[in-house]
Amino acid sequence: MICSLFLSAQNKTGNILFDIHEKSFSADSRILDLVVVIDNNRNESFKGKLKISTPTGFRSILGQEIFVDLQKNEKRFVSLKFFVGNNADAGDAQINLILTNEFDQKIGKKTAIHQVQESSILQMTAENPQIFRDNNLDSLKIRIKVSNKGNRTQQTTLVFKIPDYSDSNHFIEQHGTLRPQQDSTFTFSFLPSKELLKQSNFTINVTGFKDPDKELFGNTRISVQSISHTQKFQDEQQKGFASTTRNSITASYRRVGNDLDMYQILGNGGFNVASGYIFINGNMFMMNSQTDPIVNNTYISYRREKSEFTLGNISRLLEMSLFGRGIEYSFLNAAKDKKIEVGFIEQSFSLFERNSFLQNGYGFYVKGILNPYNFSHNLSSIYIFKNDPYEKAKHHLLGTEFTHNFNNLWQTSSKLYGGISIYDQNGATKPSLAFESQYSGIIKKLNFNGNIFYSSDYYPGNRRGSLQIQQNANLMVFKKHYAFANVFYSNYSPKYYFYQTQLSSDNIKMEAGLNFAKTGSFGHSFAYQYQFEKSNSYNNFLPQLQKNDLSIQAHRIVESTNWMSVNKKHSAILALDLGFAQYPNEEDQEFQGKINFNYNYKRINFTSQYQIGSYYLSEYAFSQLIDKNEKYKKLNTSVYYSSNAFKEKLSITSGLSYTDDNIYGKSPSAFCNLKWQTRLYDFFVNSSLYNYSSANMRNNIFTIEAGVTLNLQKATLSTKKKSDIYAFAFYDKNNNNIFDTDEETASNYLININNIAFKTDSEGKILYKNVPFGKYPLKQSIQGGWYYDDQMLDISQYKLEIAIPLHQNGTVAGHINYEFDHKTAVDFNPRANGITLNVFRDDILIETVSTDDNGEFISFLPIGNYTIVLNANSLPQNTYCETERTHFSVKAGELYTLPKFVIKVKEKKIHSKKFGN
């Protein structure tokens, strides 16, 4: 920025000429240099004063008054210098110059205007970035210092984020006003919750914002540590099989209609053991119409290192899925690039049933995986066997799956399965085959993705007798306008020996259109759709056509418009489908259409759909069964609302819905769910009402459910082997690292292991529990002139006992002293406290110390040779220290006083300019 001096018109009084020359300065200049000319054109001498008036933040280096003594016809140039301080207000600053005679009468006045650039600098620091707590009954006090280093008043907001281990956080705001060059301390106190106090350490985040635009200016973290003598290992960064569980139990009662009562209890949780951890999941419910409870989704899992063992209800979504009670095991090698899984599952829904074992069939599987955690390149092979008593067959399935990414643009995955089914009824043996491939890629601006799946008619997998082909493509054709096309074909014709009717269906759907670039708050799309459906599944609904497959063929135009308000609180979507369809019993094509509307506002969602004409054979067949002469119509409208109240302790979710069509008739429904959350308990009530009205049938179903959830302590689970570390600290007075009979235990001494702080008990002992095997640092701590050596603890056993000998260290003390000449020294702000010095040992920074209000400092150090260096950046402005570095040695139990650090002040440099005729 260039600062210009705008001068008033030239004044001439009594043959005295008084003027200022215009000058310019760069934006980073803190010194303004002005030259004033005074010309005495009289035939006598002139004596007077040049008075200088400066605004806040400006200082005249030569003082506020300058004496002027001119001989007759003498012309003199006076050089003026002004220092612009950090506290100068932003904007136009006026420097007034007044020339008076010896009788203090004004001869002339000049005004210089300097444009001060606006500076908005806010800094925040935590007074105590690490807080140690040894009394859980005391409140926790957080002190944040905010400094306004700029030149204008700032409105600020500090947000304190307090972690809550019930999966949420609490936010507290404090507001303040800071004048330029002002420091302010924000203090926040709170009593941590019981769940928070159970943590050995936690972090409080503080974020600073400038008001009113909430511009972020700073962020700091405060680490809070408990210093009890017993701590549990806690690590939120566990990987592999390790996980975090909330540990909860829920009990509920449900009433459905007038005659069905159900009682349910479910829960899950885990706990660590010496090697690995155990996780339990349970679900049991009992209805009044049953004699035995149903127990499903119930299992116990033991996970250790790279292996996992599970017993109970097993659900495996394999190519031939297996569900029921069973056992499974998995193992991952040390390199984590090979994994094997095996399992046996007996097909029973409930964990405890009266029927004979294996009566409902059984199955087992073996699966091997290469690179299980590499999602761009992996390979697996699997064998599955299933004994199916319903189909009276034994199925064998062998397959392989692989994924391969050629580059960032092209990815593919494929499956190949072969099977053999042996049927008991006629001794038939049926081979089968299935293949699937998926891909995605980009050619220039054309995006492709698609998949193909084929399975033979007797294939025993989840998708029997199917052929599916899907292809999608989109291309940017104009600026942010996309053309898209989709093709889908499906043929479903599975075969079974125990079914009399063989099902067959074909589906084709093609679509092509444009997604237009967003215009303001609106977005649009337009497409053409072709749909064809053919099936023999609904022949019995139309006896006159039961020998022929039914089919529907339709051509439609699809349009969609979406909108979002500028403040993003409102959004809406309107979609239209219009076209004609050829139905099985109609000679001419008939109109069909659908309109969908969706609107969202904050926590409210409204959806409505109206349809005329059957889009699918199922709609057509069922509507013909009800009334052959009435065209299918459907209206569906719903509104949902969700909200929180009482500081988010109460959650409310509710909704209304209404459906009216040819098949189900008029069916209104409503629901309302309430949940009250506390730290330990969650109470909930769910209710719903459904009304069914079709032809001569009427039915109302009201459901009410109430329950409570007990939230136990959240646990971080680890699959590793774990150790308990017992440590004992004592004062090793003779430095032999052995606890002798004449030596004392170190009670109330702080010890730091793995960044966790401990305070020894009255016997000098601490206990660190459930520590996974590995290496952990024992970091040095110096207290009261005693210290212990840093070391790395290598944990490889279930119980480890260590001794921590404390050695007496030496003490080093020093102080600073100012030396300067009051006459020649420039202005400075002498300060004794806050001068920092860095202590090095073998060129490694050991610690940083600061002077107190008396300019003194003290440090406790282990025996050895050190170097202490004064930090020049911590000195007041315009000061320096000629000798910043000092070497010294520390001896046990001795005090070493350093030579004083002499701080000197820079001297003034006065330049004078004299000009004469």
Side-chain angles (χ1 to χ4, degrees), residues 160-175:
F160 297 79
K161 186 177 78 170
I162 305 169
D164 186 341
Y165 283 79
S166 61
D167 296 332
S168 62
N169 293 286
H170 295 306
F171 296 90
I172 305 297
E173 291 188 359
Q174 285 194 8
H175 305 275

Side-chain angles (χ1 to χ4, degrees), residues 26 129 232 235 237 315 509 647 704 726 775 791 823 848 859 865 898 910 914 916:
S26 61
K232 283 186 178 181
D235 188 358
Q237 305 299 323
S315 299
K509 188 174 183 179
K647 296 181 179 180
I704 183 72
Y726 295 83
K775 294 183 178 181
Q791 59 177 297
K823 296 180 180 180
T848 299
S859 177
N865 299 317
L898 295 167
I910 302 176
K914 294 184 179 181

Side-chain angles (χ1 to χ4, degrees), residues 370-567:
L370 295 177
N371 302 319
Y373 300 112
N374 186 342
F375 299 104
S376 61
H377 183 72
N378 57 68
L379 173 68
S380 65
S381 296
I382 188 171
Y383 166 74
I384 309 172
F385 169 80
K386 183 177 181 180
N387 185 326
D388 189 345
Y390 301 100
E391 200 171 355
K392 296 181 180 180
K394 297 178 177 62
H395 303 293
H396 302 265
L397 202 60
L398 181 65
T400 183
E401 303 178 9
F402 71 89
T403 299
H404 182 71
N405 292 357
F406 296 97
N407 49 46
N408 294 330
L409 301 180
W410 285 91
Q411 300 86 34
T412 182
S413 63
S414 298
K415 300 179 182 179
L416 178 63
Y417 281 86
I420 295 179
S421 300
I422 304 173
Y423 292 89
D424 299 336
Q425 187 173 9
N426 52 12
T429 299
K430 278 288 185 181
S432 57
L433 175 70
F435 169 77
E436 183 175 15
S437 181
Q438 299 178 353
Y439 79 95
S440 63
I442 301 175
I443 300 177
K444 294 184 178 180
K445 294 183 179 182
L446 183 61
N447 296 320
F448 287 100
N449 68 81
N451 73 285
I452 179 172
F453 174 80
Y454 167 79
S455 64
S456 55
D457 48 5
Y458 283 95
Y459 178 64
N462 300 325
R463 294 173 290 178
R464 174 180 297 201
S466 296
L467 173 62
Q468 291 183 354
I469 301 173
Q470 183 175 357
Q471 176 63 59
N472 306 313
N474 63 77
L475 173 67
M476 182 184 291
V477 290
F478 304 110
K479 291 183 178 180
K480 297 183 179 180
H481 299 291
Y482 283 88
F484 63 90
N486 308 311
V487 178
F488 174 79
Y489 171 74
S490 171
N491 174 265
Y492 179 65
S493 55
K495 292 185 179 180
Y496 303 87
Y497 279 105
F498 57 93
Y499 281 166
Q500 297 297 325
T501 302
Q502 301 298 332
L503 303 177
S504 175
S505 66
D506 290 277
N507 285 274
I508 300 174
K509 188 174 183 179
M510 294 185 294
E511 185 178 38
L514 285 172
N515 274 325
F516 297 98
K518 193 172 182 179
T519 304
S521 299
F522 290 89
H524 305 275
S525 66
F526 181 83
Y528 161 77
Q529 266 186 12
Y530 170 77
Q531 181 177 336
F532 175 79
E533 181 183 6
K534 180 181 179 181
S535 176
N536 64 356
S537 302
Y538 306 100
N539 290 11
N540 294 333
F541 292 90
L542 303 172
Q544 69 275 23
L545 297 174
Q546 62 182 357
K547 294 183 180 180
N548 301 315
D549 293 346
L550 304 182
S551 65
I552 290 180
Q553 181 174 261
H555 301 267
R556 291 189 288 267
I557 297 297
V558 180
E559 187 275 340
S560 176
T561 301
N562 60 78
W563 167 83
M564 179 174 289
S565 63
V566 177
N567 58 11

